[in-house]
């Protein structure tokens, strides 16, 4: 590029050879190792019967692992709980990745206005195409599983847009949803026309991906440790391929939010405020932890109807009072599963704090993760108890 004719700013990405090298390497490596064709082929060839009798994740990544339900389950029921974890977990990932595709594109629109940002935009284009393959694979497998085991949807859902709740089982209501819709719309407009906000989106994406990376690394090890790779269940192979792609996505989030940011002019007060609001939103989304599913920040009460349905299905064949009693033991009392989930969330908090520690514009509440830290094991149980009593009353009335 002719520097004399280029846009004039105080700083330019072209002056930062180290960051350019990092970006270029991450892009080229991701492109040459792209797992899209393999993920597409695995999803297209998936037959539930072939994988029906095996676990798809390490044992601790099973639905309601470490609770009385897990302790009392037969081997065959444990396999189903393990597969249900896969389906539930990746349903959440679908929702997150639909939003990621959308914001990759609005941010690329904002960043492409800067003369030397083509490489950043090409990286985002590649990542969006990969996410579409990921979403397709998770959706196909989840739906085939639920169709075969339950004959109806449990955790899966029809295709949805980026304005839906990102955290699919959350503590929300219509007023909160409306306010969130306004915030998202404002952020979309700002990110597509403002390079700082576009860049800052990658701080949010980095934080959100960080927990995914911690969990998905463990999920991917089921396949990488498997000695007979050819006979490994397809979903575990997909977890492995997905983790490989996502490692590059996490790297690009980090490079854009930490290194590329230095090439932009300093944010205004308003821009800093918007950026911190978006991070507060991530903290609110990650406020809860779930006894049912370790590693996701789902709101347990939003899962009661689903868990009840699973307990009453032929998989567990419980009658009404057995199902209620089991739900009380699992959600309203302390268990190893609850403490494991709380521990995973604490690891996430510590990682987020480290990730944000060297970014100047991040405010104290985000650096300290003070919104997330308000939730505790005691508060979690109290909330679950109160909501479960209400759920039982609703069951009585139905
Ligand atoms: Fe993905
Ligand atoms: Fe990704």
């Amino acid at each position: 590029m002719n520097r004399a004719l280029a846009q004039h700013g105080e700083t330019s990405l072209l002056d930062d050879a180290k960051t350019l090298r990092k970006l270029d390497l991450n892009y080229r490596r991701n492109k040459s190792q792209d797992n899209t064709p393999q993920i597409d082929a695995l999803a297209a060839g998936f037959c539930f019967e072939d994988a029906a009798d095996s676990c798809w994740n390490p044992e601790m990544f099973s639905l309601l692992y470490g609770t009385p339900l897990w302790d009392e389950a037969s081997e065959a029921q444990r396999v189903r709980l393990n597969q249900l974890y896969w389906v539930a977990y990746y349903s959440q990932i679908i929702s997150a990745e639909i939003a990621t595709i959308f914001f990759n594109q609005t941010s690329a629109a904002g960043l492409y206005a800067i003369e030397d940002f083509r490489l950043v935009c090409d990286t985002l284009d590649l990542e969006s195409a990969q996410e579409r393959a990921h979403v397709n694979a998770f959706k196909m497998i989840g739906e085939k599983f639920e169709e075969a085991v339950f004959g109806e949807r449990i955790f899966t859902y029809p295709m949805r847009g980026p304005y839906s709740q990102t955290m699919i089982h959350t503590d929300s209501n219509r007023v909160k949803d409306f306010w969130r819709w306004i915030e998202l719309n404002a952020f979309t407009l700002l990110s597509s026309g403002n390079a700082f906000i576009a860049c800052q989106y990658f701080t949010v994406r980095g934080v959100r991906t960080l927990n995914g990376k911690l969990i998905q690394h463990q999920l991917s090890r089921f396949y990488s440790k498997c000695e007979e790779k050819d006979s490994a269940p397809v979903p575990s192979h997909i977890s492995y391929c997905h983790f490989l792609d996502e490692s590059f996505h996490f790297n690009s989030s980090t490079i854009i939010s930490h290194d590329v940011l230095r090439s932009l002019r300093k944010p205004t007060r308003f821009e800093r405020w918007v950026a911190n609001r978006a991070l507060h939103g991530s903290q609110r989304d990650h406020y809860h932890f779930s006894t049912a599913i370790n590693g996701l920040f789902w709101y347990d009460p939003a899962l009661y109807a689903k868990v009840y349905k699973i307990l009453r299905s032929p998989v567990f064949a419980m009658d009404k009072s057995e199902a209620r009693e089991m739900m009380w033991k699992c959600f309203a009392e302390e268990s190893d599963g609850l403490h494991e989930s709380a521990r995973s969330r604490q690891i996430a908090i510590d990682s987020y704090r480290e990730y944000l520690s060297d970014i100047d514009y991040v405010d104290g509440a985000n650096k300290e993760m003070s919104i997330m830290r308000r939730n505790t094991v005691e508060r979690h149980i109290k909330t679950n108890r109160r909501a479960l009593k209400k759920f039982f009353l609703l069951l009585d009335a139905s």
Side-chain angles (χ1 to χ4, degrees):
M1 175 170 309
N2 185 331
R3 297 297 310 279
L5 298 179
Q7 285 168 344
H8 291 288
E10 282 167 31
T11 49
S12 163
L13 185 55
L14 296 179
D15 296 326
D16 189 352
K18 200 172 147 199
T19 300
L20 275 178
R21 231 186 353 263
K22 276 195 211 173
L23 275 173
D24 185 53
L25 202 65
N26 191 57
Y27 175 57
R28 278 190 292 113
R29 282 195 181 150
N30 189 7
K31 211 171 167 182
S32 66
Q33 202 205 267
D34 184 11
N35 286 279
T36 304
Q38 197 171 5
I39 291 176
D40 280 343
L42 285 166
F46 175 68
C47 165
F48 174 65
E49 281 66 37
D50 294 344
D53 299 327
S54 50
C55 285
W56 298 350
N57 315 303
E59 190 180 74
M60 72 169 285
F61 295 101
S62 299
L63 194 77
L64 287 154
Y65 175 80
T67 65
L69 181 70
W70 176 262
D71 296 339
E72 293 170 26
S74 67
E75 262 320 297
Q77 287 167 335
R78 285 184 173 192
V79 167
R80 286 290 174 265
L81 290 172
N82 186 271
Q83 296 166 343
L84 269 164
Y85 180 100
W86 195 100
V87 173
Y89 182 85
Y90 287 110
S91 293
Q92 175 57 48
I93 301 303
I94 290 175
S95 165
E97 296 197 339
I98 288 173
T100 299
I101 293 167
F102 181 67
F103 284 112
N104 280 355
Q105 285 165 347
T106 60
S107 302
L111 291 169
Y112 193 54
I114 307 175
E115 200 124 38
D116 35 7
F117 270 59
R118 180 181 163 193
L119 177 57
V120 175
C121 299
D122 287 348
T123 301
L124 298 178
D125 288 350
L126 171 63
E127 293 182 7
S128 295
Q130 290 175 327
E131 302 295 19
R132 282 190 283 269
H134 302 165
V135 167
N136 179 62
F138 301 148
K139 193 169 186 309
M140 277 176 78
I141 290 178
E143 287 175 352
K144 279 188 181 172
F145 168 86
E146 291 186 344
E147 168 88 75
V149 177
F150 299 102
E152 62 176 320
R153 289 191 188 277
I154 305 284
F155 292 109
T156 63
Y157 44 85
M159 200 57 184
R160 51 200 281 155
Y163 287 111
S164 310
Q165 267 291 355
T166 325
M167 193 60 66
I168 51 178
H169 298 295
T170 188
D171 178 16
S172 197
N173 57 41
R174 285 169 77 173
V175 176
K176 283 186 195 170
D177 283 348
F178 179 66
W179 178 241
R180 185 188 165 82
W181 181 83
I182 291 184
E183 279 194 323
L184 275 178
N185 271 282
F187 194 78
T188 306
L189 263 177
L190 284 168
S191 64
S192 60
N194 178 313
F196 170 77
I197 300 294
C199 220
Q200 192 278 334
Y201 159 65
F202 293 91
T203 315
V204 175
R205 203 185 84 168
V207 164
R208 288 178 176 264
T209 318
L210 199 45
N211 183 59
K213 189 177 141 107
L214 294 167
I215 302 298
Q216 289 164 35
H217 183 215
Q218 301 180 70
L219 299 181
S220 77
R221 284 163 78 180
F222 188 86
Y223 176 82
S224 59
K225 279 184 162 177
C226 183
E227 284 173 11
E228 303 279 323
K229 297 243 175 335
D230 287 344
S231 55
V234 163
S236 68
H237 194 172
I238 289 179
S239 298
Y240 174 76
C241 294
H242 182 247
F243 177 69
L244 295 181
D245 281 352
E246 286 304 324
S247 303
F248 290 107
H249 301 188
F250 179 69
N251 284 349
S252 61
S253 290
T254 305
I255 302 168
I256 299 171
S257 63
H258 286 70
D259 302 302
V260 171
L261 188 76
R262 288 198 298 267
S263 300
L264 303 177
R265 60 163 176 74
K266 290 261 174 280
T268 61
R269 261 176 76 168
F270 173 69
E271 287 167 341
R272 281 204 305 269
W273 178 80
V274 172
N276 279 298
R277 287 278 318 172
L279 285 166
H280 292 170
S282 299
Q283 286 201 61
R284 281 195 300 272
D285 277 353
H286 294 191
Y287 176 84
H288 292 287
F289 55 92
S290 167
T291 301
I293 182 152
N294 181 358
L296 286 184
F297 305 111
W298 280 357
Y299 180 55
D300 275 341
L303 298 176
Y304 291 163
K306 290 174 192 296
V307 172
Y308 186 74
K309 201 184 263 185
I310 293 168
L311 297 181
R312 301 273 289 124
S313 78
V315 177
F316 286 95
M318 291 187 186
D319 66 25
K320 288 179 183 174
S321 68
E322 285 169 339
R324 282 181 191 220
E325 198 187 316
M326 182 54 84
M327 287 187 68
W328 187 264
K329 284 198 282 184
C330 290
F331 288 109
E333 285 166 15
E334 287 194 39
S335 66
D336 291 346
L338 180 155
H339 288 289
E340 282 295 336
S341 293
R343 205 170 2 255
S344 293
R345 185 171 162 287
Q346 187 54 49
I347 293 172
I349 291 175
D350 295 341
S351 320
Y352 298 172
R353 290 174 77 177
E354 202 186 319
Y355 192 75
L356 297 175
S357 64
D358 59 344
I359 305 181
D360 290 344
Y361 66 79
V362 175
D363 68 17
N366 284 321
K367 279 210 163 127
E368 292 305 315
M369 287 288 137
S370 52
I371 299 174
M372 268 182 92
R373 283 165 61 204
R374 269 181 224 146
N375 199 9
T376 58
V377 166
E378 293 70 37
R379 198 174 271 205
H380 172 85
I381 293 190
K382 234 185 196 171
T383 307
N384 271 4
R385 282 186 182 159
R386 202 177 329 121
L388 199 51
K389 283 179 191 159
K390 259 194 203 161
F391 177 73
F392 290 158
L393 286 176
L394 278 175
L395 280 183
D396 290 338
S398 66

